[in-house]
Amino acid sequence: MPDILHRIGVEHTAPERVYDALTTLDGLAGWWTEDTTGQTDRGDVIKFRFGPPGGFDMSVVKLDPGRLVRWEVVDGPAEWIGTFVQFDLRQEGDFTIVLFRHEGWSEPVEFMYHCSTKWATFLMSLKQLVETGQGAPAPRDVQISDWH
Amino acid sequence: MPDILHRIGVEHTAPERVYDALTTLDGLAGWWTEDTTGQTDRGDVIKFRFGPPGGFDMSVVKLDPGRLVRWEVVDGPAEWIGTFVQFDLRQEGDFTIVLFRHEGWSEPVEFMYHCSTKWATFLMSLKQLVETGQGAPAPRDVQISDWH
């Protein structure tokens, strides 16, 4: 099954700070979408909304502080349900390296191509948030196409 | 085998203009790397260099004006050799949709994660070049990590 893969390095940053941006509502709202609600502990569901028509509900399935965050998509577009999103973090010199994986897509549909590029721009938003205090979450996100 | 997939939409643009940016030295130098040399017809090899230590040599294996560009990587990092890069273009309203695929990776190594994110930023550079006349090719490219 095809996966979406990405790698970024967040400069002058310890993994714990990136982990915070992935595991708190304020952090997540600072880089992915301002409309982030729910609870962020293991077993909880976080609701990410992007204005009409929808968004994603993520069940937090694994947390390892400063090292790993794993979600299962429990509601959202049909192609996303049952897929997993994982962030692996590690220190590398003055950088926190983020290895990102959105796995479990059943087919490489055109929407997957779109989501791959969109994830890249959101990960750059995560990098900017932690480095500068200012990300570009929806609805202020980078527009990449007619699909936004 | 895992693939890198991306989708962008270039606004207010016909596919022929994006095709030009993928099939002329000036076009390619405007969004991917300023150090682009060689020939761009079918059967030719285009040499993309990124300063030390290297770059990629692409053999142009398929061209369909306004619709498709396909390259085979004939020299460069070991993981890239024998892989293929393909751009499919089509009109969708006021946008030219670019479906991008870098296929034939034998393993999802960490370098592939990096290249996936880096391709996304270069495709955004292609979009900017065609929309505004100004891309962000190397060495003025967006830095995403300790690997540049």
Side-chain angles (χ1 to χ4, degrees), chain A residues 5-9 90 95 97 100-101 110 113-114 116-117 120 124 127 142-147, chain B residues 5-9 90 95 97 100-101 110 113-114 116-117 120 124 127 142-147:
Chain A
L5 309 174
H6 288 297
R7 180 189 191 275
I8 58 165
R90 71 169 195 271
F95 285 83
I97 304 302
F100 170 91
R101 209 159 70 224
E110 186 163 342
Y113 287 67
H114 166 77
S116 175
T117 314
M124 291 301 288
K127 173 176 162 70
V142 174
Q143 304 297 294
I144 65 169
S145 74
D146 55 332
W147 289 355
Chain B
L5 308 175
H6 288 297
R7 180 188 190 276
I8 58 164
R90 71 168 196 271
F95 286 83
I97 303 302
F100 170 91
R101 208 159 71 224
E110 186 163 341
Y113 287 67
H114 167 77
S116 174
T117 315
M124 292 301 287
K127 173 177 162 70
V142 174
Q143 303 297 294
I144 66 169
S145 75
D146 56 331
W147 290 353

Side-chain angles (χ1 to χ4, degrees), chain B residues 24-26 28-30 32-38 40 46-49:
Chain B
T24 64
L25 293 181
D26 271 0
L28 292 161
W32 198 18
T33 175
E34 290 180 356
D35 189 350
T36 300
T37 58
T40 62
I46 316 174
K47 293 171 179 290
F48 301 96
R49 292 295 176 272

Side-chain angles (χ1 to χ4, degrees), chain A residues 102-124:
Chain A
H102 184 178
E103 61 187 355
W105 291 77
S106 57
E107 296 289 337
V109 291
E110 186 163 342
F111 184 47
M112 183 178 173
Y113 287 67
H114 166 77
C115 293
S116 175
T117 314
K118 200 74 194 181
W119 271 124
T121 63
F122 279 122
L123 290 164
M124 291 301 288

Side-chain angles (χ1 to χ4, degrees), chain A:
Chain A
M1 289 198 295
D3 299 338
I4 294 171
L5 309 174
H6 288 297
R7 180 189 191 275
I8 58 165
V10 184
E11 206 166 3
H12 310 309
T13 302
E16 288 68 24
R17 288 193 53 215
V18 178
Y19 184 82
D20 285 348
L22 299 172
T23 55
T24 63
L25 294 182
D26 272 359
L28 292 162
W31 67 270
W32 198 17
T33 175
E34 291 180 356
D35 189 351
T36 299
T37 58
Q39 306 291 326
T40 62
D41 286 335
R42 193 163 70 85
D44 288 339
V45 172
I46 316 174
K47 294 172 178 288
F48 301 96
R49 292 294 177 272
F50 295 80
F56 315 105
D57 286 4
M58 302 289 195
S59 169
V60 181
V61 293
K62 205 165 176 187
L63 291 176
D64 185 351
R67 297 184 55 181
L68 186 147
V69 174
R70 185 173 171 88
W71 300 327
E72 180 178 1
V73 183
V74 293
D75 204 359
E79 299 92 334
W80 277 51
I81 294 175
T83 63
F84 291 87
V85 173
Q86 182 165 323
F87 305 81
D88 284 276
L89 313 179
R90 71 169 195 271
Q91 184 98 35
E92 191 88 19
D94 196 29
F95 285 83
T96 290
I97 304 302
V98 181
L99 291 187
F100 170 91
R101 209 159 70 224
H102 184 178
E103 61 187 355
W105 291 77
S106 57
E107 296 289 337
V109 291
E110 186 163 342
F111 184 47
M112 183 178 173
Y113 287 67
H114 166 77
C115 293
S116 175
T117 314
K118 200 74 194 181
W119 271 124
T121 63
F122 279 122
L123 290 164
M124 291 301 288
S125 166
L126 167 64
K127 173 176 162 70
Q128 288 155 16
L129 173 70
V130 179
E131 289 178 352
T132 72
Q134 181 74 50
R140 297 179 288 110
D141 52 323
V142 174
Q143 304 297 294
I144 65 169
S145 74
D146 55 332
W147 289 355
H148 305 291

Side-chain angles (χ1 to χ4, degrees), chain B residues 10 14 123:
Chain B
V10 185
L123 289 165

Side-chain angles (χ1 to χ4, degrees), chain B residues 52-123:
Chain B
F56 315 105
D57 287 3
M58 302 289 194
S59 170
V60 180
V61 293
K62 205 167 175 187
L63 291 177
D64 185 351
R67 297 185 54 181
L68 186 147
V69 174
R70 184 173 171 87
W71 299 328
E72 180 177 1
V73 183
V74 293
D75 205 358
E79 299 93 334
W80 277 51
I81 294 175
T83 63
F84 291 87
V85 173
Q86 182 165 322
F87 305 81
D88 285 276
L89 313 178
R90 71 168 196 271
Q91 184 99 34
E92 190 88 19
D94 196 30
F95 286 83
T96 290
I97 303 302
V98 181
L99 291 186
F100 170 91
R101 208 159 71 224
H102 184 178
E103 61 187 355
W105 292 77
S106 58
E107 295 289 337
V109 291
E110 186 163 341
F111 184 47
M112 183 179 173
Y113 287 67
H114 167 77
C115 294
S116 174
T117 315
K118 200 75 195 180
W119 271 125
T121 63
F122 279 122
L123 289 165

